[in-house]
Amino acid sequence: MAQDDPVVSAQWLHEHLGMPDVKVLDASWYMPVENRDPWKEYQVAHIPGALFFDLDGIVDRTTDLPHMLPSEEALAAAISELDIKNQDKVIVYDGKGFFSAPRVWWMFRVFGHKKVWVLDGGLPQWQASGFNVEKASPDDDAVLKSIAANRAVKRVYNGEQTNTISFQTEFQPNLFWALEKVAQNVTAKTYQQIDARAKGRFDGVAPEPREGVRSGHIPGSVCVPFPEMFDGAPPSLLLPADELRRKFQHAGISLDRPIVVTCGSGVTACILALGLYRIGKRDVPVYDGSWTEWEGQSDSDYPKVTAPGTA
């Protein structure tokens, strides 16, 4: 484990599993079209001792946008219910290997927790390494803690009393961008904008997975699809630093200039942030609302590129 690298190996986690200051989170989440239930899958098979982190439950409850970053108080209340302390090392994984876990890695960092890593290759790599998984029953402590975390978020947004908050947060504004910051950058072009979605969605020729959302991209953006961060053989592992550098440079990205990352709804952008962290770019902000929010704004105030060759 290294502070300057964002991932840990399955072997490392296996050797340190059960240590009191190592907390493991299953942050599995899937696109709506996949028809998969991460909560049910967690109860069928998860890394021993892991708690479930609900990306659709630990959210900003004041917006209709999917899984937006919750308030500091809400996040702190949820993490406290998961019994995670500021001194703990947090290891996050997901059921695909690299998909939603980097989002939770980013969330912890946005709120000031630096002792957080993604499990390289996720649950597929864990199982491919021959390590055991366990089931959960409805009355298990891990299940009850995960349910309590979601309820804590609801209580905060309802203005109700929460349990004692033991996890302290410190918001890092340099890692989080909202709509207007992106709008300013479209004009100023200070930050290079990288979009993690597939090229077809970026170009406006393949549909978005969310009903009513046009495909296309924010003007000035460059497409680096998130699977390019991994090696080819399943289970996918994060590429070495030199290969990651080549990927970004091949896309025309200058690693000497600032970068902001975006995607469809703020999840896979965090995979790009993870790759950039490995090559030393540790202050890369994520546009939380991403294309789903941007596309929903007026075209006159928030221009879009919705087909090849258009501005």
Side-chain angles (χ1 to χ4, degrees):
M1 168 180 280
Q3 196 73 48
D4 59 353
D5 198 42
V7 299
V8 296
S9 68
Q11 183 63 43
W12 184 94
L13 182 57
H14 184 256
E15 292 172 358
H16 294 81
L17 199 63
M19 294 183 68
D21 66 339
V22 174
K23 302 294 175 66
V24 184
L25 294 177
D26 182 328
S28 299
W29 176 88
Y30 304 102
M31 296 295 292
V33 295
E34 294 179 88
N35 293 315
R36 293 179 65 175
D37 186 332
W39 176 234
K40 286 184 179 178
E41 291 185 20
Y42 163 81
Q43 293 175 74
V44 171
H46 60 264
I47 292 176
L51 299 175
F52 185 73
F53 187 105
D54 187 358
L55 261 181
D56 282 331
I58 303 175
V59 295
D60 179 357
R61 298 179 66 83
T62 67
T63 176
D64 292 333
L65 292 168
H67 41 255
M68 292 294 95
L69 192 72
S71 68
E72 278 193 77
E73 185 183 357
L75 190 282
I79 299 306
S80 296
E81 291 290 355
L82 294 172
D83 196 27
I84 294 174
K85 308 293 194 296
N86 290 87
Q87 65 267 27
D88 288 337
K89 302 177 183 71
V90 180
I91 314 299
V92 193
Y93 75 90
D94 63 56
K96 279 192 168 183
F98 271 113
F99 190 61
S100 51
R103 168 74 184 188
V104 176
W105 166 83
W106 171 76
M107 290 172 69
F108 271 89
R109 293 178 59 243
V110 167
F111 289 118
H113 190 77
K114 296 179 180 178
K115 297 178 181 178
V116 58
W117 293 264
V118 172
L119 176 61
D120 202 4
L123 188 61
Q125 178 62 27
W126 177 266
Q127 293 179 298
S129 301
F131 302 138
N132 292 334
V133 294
E134 66 180 11
K135 296 181 179 180
S137 61
D139 58 351
D140 282 352
D141 184 58
V143 169
L144 298 177
K145 283 179 178 176
S146 298
I147 293 171
N150 282 16
R151 288 176 176 165
V153 174
K154 292 180 182 178
R155 285 200 300 269
V156 168
Y157 280 101
N158 289 337
E160 300 170 4
Q161 185 71 34
T162 61
N163 294 333
T164 301
I165 292 179
S166 55
F167 184 83
Q168 305 303 314
T169 59
E170 186 178 349
F171 183 61
Q172 307 294 308
N174 58 306
L175 297 177
F176 171 90
W177 274 26
L179 178 70
E180 292 308 322
K181 187 101 177 192
V182 181
Q184 292 166 11
N185 191 65
V186 167
T187 301
K189 299 179 175 60
T190 306
Y191 280 68
Q192 301 165 99
Q193 299 166 181
I194 311 180
D195 193 316
R197 290 174 301 151
K199 192 69 162 60
R201 291 168 61 189
F202 178 88
D203 286 339
V205 297
E208 286 293 304
R210 289 182 174 81
E211 188 176 346
V213 179
R214 293 170 293 174
S215 57
H217 62 266
I218 301 167
S221 300
V222 174
C223 182
V224 180
F226 72 86
E228 295 193 13
M229 299 296 99
F230 319 133
D231 61 14
S236 296
L237 300 176
L238 190 63
L239 285 170
D242 58 343
E243 293 186 44
L244 288 168
R245 286 191 190 93
R246 283 197 292 270
K247 291 281 187 179
F248 287 109
Q249 290 166 345
H250 181 73
I253 301 299
S254 169
L255 298 175
D256 296 325
R257 291 183 53 216
I259 294 168
V260 59
V261 290
T262 182
C263 59
S265 61
V267 174
T268 59
C270 300
I271 300 173
L272 297 187
L274 191 83
L276 288 162
Y277 191 101
R278 170 164 268 189
I279 61 178
K281 300 284 287 185
R282 292 172 195 148
D283 57 350
V284 174
V286 172
Y287 171 27
D288 198 25
S290 282
W291 178 248
T292 299
E293 180 181 40
W294 186 271
E295 190 278 332
Q297 311 302 312
S298 70
D299 290 356
S300 57
D301 294 328
Y302 302 89
K304 292 99 181 167
V305 181
T306 54
T310 63

